[in-house]
Amino acid sequence: MTLPLVVGVDGSDSCLTAVDWAVDEAVRHGAPMRLVYASLWERYEAGLPSVGPGRPSEQVLAEHIVASAADRAERRNPDVKVTADIIPEDPVAALVHEGGQAFTLVTGSRGRGEVKGLLLGSVGLAVSARAHCPVIVVRGDPAGLAGTHERILLGIGDADDTSTEAVRYAFREAEVRGCVLDVVHAWRRPAFDRNGNRIRTEGSADTHEDRASAVVDARLKAAIAEYPHVRTRSATPEGPAAKILVDRSAAADLVIVGARRRTSAFGFQLGRVSHALLHHAQCPVAVVPERQ
């Protein structure tokens, strides 16, 4: 059975943009879509009219939100199978749980009622850090949201930063879209050690770039064999990875990074690069954890 794309909905404009994007993604992968509204009811109870003892006002709000999202998805593409559920739980906990049986989790970049101008909502950030499946935060400029660039961007970190799953996910996305996969591994020569002492860097810039290229080749070897028709372009620029990937996201339809599992029970560790992309990327961002 094909796992669904699970989309967190909350009635916000950002959520509706995410629904549109998720419908197109479901079509590309031939996957069903599941809309999930989750909330601790008392959050929205104040100011809502009572409609009788049988149907509390918070239930009416939830039903309206999921019905509107489902109608929007159907108008976007009636061929996508859409189901919906209302879960009276904390949104992060509910979405992380739903992600256990999801192909991908999709959220908007800002939630209902969050501060205007906020770069990324608290739910999107927390779900990206904790989910056990890929999470896509839908954000960016109109071109990035519309997928007109016809390229996917994959950020490759050091050996323990980028999961094998992230690489495979990027290749799969590039294949279903029929687009180019740009792979970027940024590197920097260390200037100081932990004690603040200046380090004498050994080797020329060409040597460091050759090492970076070797890292990319090693990380992509298995995926290239599995997806031989995907066109890849590799770049190994010197500089801060976060800035480089944010800048290059302006010419991408999706940027993908891996998530490191940490030892605590709270989920995945999001590094500086992931945080920067989730807050500033000009296209949707996929955070892909390594599966156990």
Side-chain angles (χ1 to χ4, degrees):
M1 182 176 64
T2 304
L3 293 177
L5 264 75
V6 172
V7 186
V9 297
D10 61 6
S12 65
D13 291 341
S14 176
C15 141
L16 297 179
T17 300
V19 169
D20 290 343
W21 192 93
V23 169
D24 297 342
E25 182 76 348
V27 170
R28 283 189 283 266
H29 290 276
M33 196 163 85
R34 175 170 162 78
L35 305 174
V36 173
Y37 173 84
S39 175
L40 298 174
W41 303 127
E42 60 269 22
R43 179 176 302 175
Y44 303 126
E45 193 168 18
L48 291 174
S50 175
V51 293
R55 298 181 68 227
S57 57
E58 63 270 14
Q59 187 72 15
V60 173
L61 173 64
E63 290 173 356
H64 173 73
I65 287 174
V66 296
S68 297
D71 178 67
R72 187 180 183 99
E74 184 176 0
R75 285 187 282 111
R76 182 80 172 185
N77 193 313
D79 294 330
V80 175
K81 181 181 178 181
V82 178
T83 58
D85 199 6
I86 299 169
I87 304 175
E89 296 179 6
D90 171 76
V92 174
L95 289 173
V96 169
H97 176 76
E98 291 293 319
Q101 294 297 321
F103 164 63
T104 298
L105 271 174
V106 180
T107 75
S109 59
R110 288 184 298 277
R112 177 184 174 89
E114 290 183 305
V115 178
K116 185 177 181 180
L118 193 67
L119 295 175
L120 176 65
S122 58
V123 172
L125 183 61
V127 171
S128 298
R130 292 175 53 187
H132 292 260
C133 72
V135 176
I136 296 178
V137 174
V138 178
R139 57 167 299 113
D141 59 24
L145 292 171
T148 59
H149 297 296
E150 298 186 345
R151 66 179 64 184
I152 300 296
L153 178 63
L154 170 64
I156 293 283
D158 294 331
D160 59 347
D161 287 335
T162 307
S163 70
T164 302
E165 289 295 329
V167 175
R168 294 185 68 253
Y169 191 91
F171 271 79
R172 182 171 58 188
E173 282 292 327
E175 183 176 68
V176 299
R177 294 164 182 259
C179 69
V180 173
L181 174 60
D182 285 336
V183 183
V184 175
H185 176 41
W187 56 274
R188 302 186 77 176
R189 284 172 284 191
F192 300 92
D193 62 19
R194 294 180 180 179
N195 298 319
N197 300 314
R198 183 175 294 277
I199 296 174
R200 176 178 292 180
T201 304
E202 296 182 2
S204 64
D206 289 342
T207 300
H208 287 279
E209 189 168 358
D210 289 343
R211 291 172 182 170
S213 296
V215 170
V216 172
D217 292 343
R219 303 309 297 276
L220 301 187
K221 183 177 180 180
I224 289 174
E226 186 176 357
Y227 297 93
H229 300 297
V230 171
R231 295 166 293 160
T232 61
R233 296 188 303 198
S234 300
T236 54
E238 180 179 8
K243 183 180 186 306
I244 288 170
L245 290 173
V246 167
D247 289 346
R248 294 190 180 215
S249 71
D253 300 325
L254 179 67
V255 57
I256 300 167
V257 289
R260 265 187 321 217
R261 182 179 295 277
R262 64 187 187 187
T263 56
S264 70
F266 296 102
F268 297 102
Q269 178 72 46
L270 293 181
R272 287 175 294 178
V273 173
S274 297
H275 273 279
L277 288 168
L278 288 169
H279 285 89
H280 300 290
Q282 298 182 58
C283 68
V285 179
V287 178
V288 183
E290 184 73 37
R291 292 186 183 273
Q292 285 184 322

